[in-house]
Amino acid sequence: MIAAGDMAHCVAAIKHGSRSFHAASRLLPRRLRDPALALYAFCRLADDAVDLQEHKAEAVLRLHERLDLAYRGRPRNAPADRAFAAVIADFDMPRALPEALLEGLAWDAEGRVYQDLQGLRAYSARVAAAVGAMMCVLMRERRAEVLARACDLGVAMQLTNIARDVAEDAGEGRLYLPLDWMTAEGIDPEAFLARPDSSPELRRLVARLLREADGLYTRAEAGIAALPVDCRPGIYAARLIYAGIGGAVRRGGCDPFAGRARTTGGQKLGWLGLAGLRAGASMVMPGPALLYAKPLPENDFLVEAAATEGRATRDWSDTLHATLANLKHRDAERLAALQRRADPAMSRA
């Protein structure tokens, strides 16, 4: 069980750090709201711990240690860590799911770029679909077909975020658009990062990415209708609010340099109301056949991990360990370079 003080800290972190999820969480039943907010608080902490740090490799390695402590039942003495450790224990959270998130953050620390849509979806599976799978675990929902649709929703949300943040990411030297898409539009990725700017070609890429997200939002709705009845309004709300961000990008001409696309409080209230209506309709409408669509290949490992209970301590990914080993090597090289600069005699040796 999550301590009251730790829960209050998690609520505050989400209220200021993820307004869209905080709005959607108001429609979640209390039994789900608190663990969901604790989960998102830890995920937000993990993202910020890497994104806001200059030495990203070191930050990822520290996060891996914190995750390990949480799974041992001895979390670091911090509210979000203690709350997440309680979630792990209460819901038998498969370790593969938060480790997938950690691997995605490690890819960020490596500065990876993605050659094609499949590579971008693999990244999105880790940093977003893994969270969707964890939400299903909190709802005690482990049917493979429902998990697959939750993962669709996570990827759709991440693609929406990427479409919105192209300019911001480019300003920080980050690029998530598929390289083969850029090449097909005649955009040189290195030149774009050197001098980020809007163009008709770039706007077409943003529109294309939003279309990919739209297809996944449609698939995801089939899974929302299969969730526990009292959980549906909140998840419909999250789907509508994030798709609304895509709508704001479109209203800006799909130009990420025209200003960060935002949604208003009034729009969020409207989507919350619509979410309630959708949830009510889902109780009388027949289940859509899209529920049984195959998972995205990039999400298969998440569905497999979450569909079977009792996997909380099983190592799942050789690539995770390889990625962490690479980060350790890079961090050691960085420290050695700093030491050489600090000690000229060492550099001459």
Side-chain angles (χ1 to χ4, degrees):
M1 182 176 291
I2 304 170
D6 293 343
M7 192 66 246
H9 181 277
C10 292
V11 171
I14 292 300
K15 186 175 182 179
H16 295 290
S18 184
R19 294 177 183 175
S20 293
F21 181 77
H22 185 264
S25 73
R26 296 176 186 177
L27 296 186
L28 294 174
R30 185 60 182 266
R31 65 181 176 83
L32 176 60
R33 187 187 312 132
D34 283 358
L37 287 168
L39 168 64
Y40 265 74
F42 186 84
C43 294
R44 184 76 194 185
L45 174 152
D47 187 54
D48 288 348
V50 176
D51 198 38
L52 303 179
Q53 296 294 321
E54 180 181 356
H55 305 305
K56 298 183 185 300
E58 183 179 333
V60 171
L61 296 172
R62 285 198 303 267
L63 273 174
H64 187 252
E65 293 171 359
R66 292 171 70 172
L67 184 62
D68 190 54
L69 288 171
Y71 268 92
R72 292 181 184 183
R74 295 186 281 109
R76 199 186 74 156
N77 189 26
D81 293 64
R82 292 192 299 264
F84 187 58
V87 168
I88 291 168
D90 291 345
F91 294 90
D92 189 24
M93 182 65 67
R95 184 166 178 160
L97 304 180
E99 281 195 340
L101 171 64
L102 184 67
E103 185 175 35
L105 297 177
W107 288 5
D108 278 335
E110 289 181 332
R112 285 199 189 193
V113 293
Y114 301 100
Q115 182 61 41
D116 49 30
L117 178 62
Q118 289 69 35
L120 182 58
R121 289 196 311 213
Y123 167 73
S124 300
R126 285 156 175 79
V127 298
V131 180
M134 285 191 274
M135 285 293 293
C136 278
V137 172
L138 298 187
M139 296 179 220
R140 312 289 186 184
E141 177 55 76
R142 293 182 184 250
R143 285 176 290 169
E145 60 270 21
V146 181
L147 287 162
R149 303 290 74 81
C151 291
D152 284 341
L153 182 57
V155 174
M157 290 176 169
Q158 186 62 27
L159 296 182
T160 301
N161 284 340
I162 289 169
R164 177 192 62 190
D165 295 340
V166 168
E168 181 180 323
D169 288 332
E172 297 177 2
R174 299 183 301 197
L175 184 63
Y176 292 100
L177 294 172
L179 299 187
D180 61 350
W181 286 16
M182 298 184 77
T183 300
E185 287 287 356
I187 302 174
D188 179 83
E190 291 186 5
F192 173 72
L193 283 179
R195 296 188 63 181
D197 201 359
S198 181
S199 67
E201 294 79 11
L202 180 67
R203 293 194 289 275
R204 283 198 293 269
L205 289 183
V206 171
R208 184 177 178 185
L209 197 60
L210 291 175
R211 288 195 296 273
E212 290 289 339
D214 286 343
L216 292 171
Y217 283 126
T218 299
R219 282 164 51 110
E221 283 214 11
I224 301 174
L227 293 173
V229 171
D230 61 349
C231 298
R232 294 177 195 174
I235 307 305
Y236 272 118
R239 175 256 186 269
L240 292 167
I241 289 170
Y242 272 85
I245 294 171
V249 174
R250 286 191 175 96
R251 286 191 295 275
C254 291
D255 183 357
F257 290 89
R260 198 170 196 264
R262 299 184 184 279
T263 56
T264 66
Q267 287 175 316
K268 288 187 174 72
L269 285 174
W271 288 319
L272 292 179
L274 181 57
L277 293 175
R278 291 272 186 94
S282 71
M283 296 174 63
V284 297
M285 297 292 289
L290 270 177
L291 175 63
Y292 301 100
K294 289 184 178 180
L296 292 177
E298 297 81 11
N299 287 334
D300 271 336
F301 76 101
L302 297 169
V303 174
E304 178 188 356
T308 305
E309 297 187 38
R311 296 193 178 195
T313 60
R314 185 175 74 89
D315 288 335
W316 65 274
S317 173
D318 290 338
T319 63
L320 170 65
H321 298 115
T323 300
L324 292 177
N326 180 53
L327 286 177
K328 288 180 181 179
H329 176 70
R330 289 176 53 175
D331 206 42
E333 288 186 333
R334 179 183 64 82
L335 290 173
L338 289 174
Q339 289 172 348
R340 285 194 296 271
R341 285 198 293 270
D343 185 355
M346 182 181 293
S347 63
R348 291 194 298 270

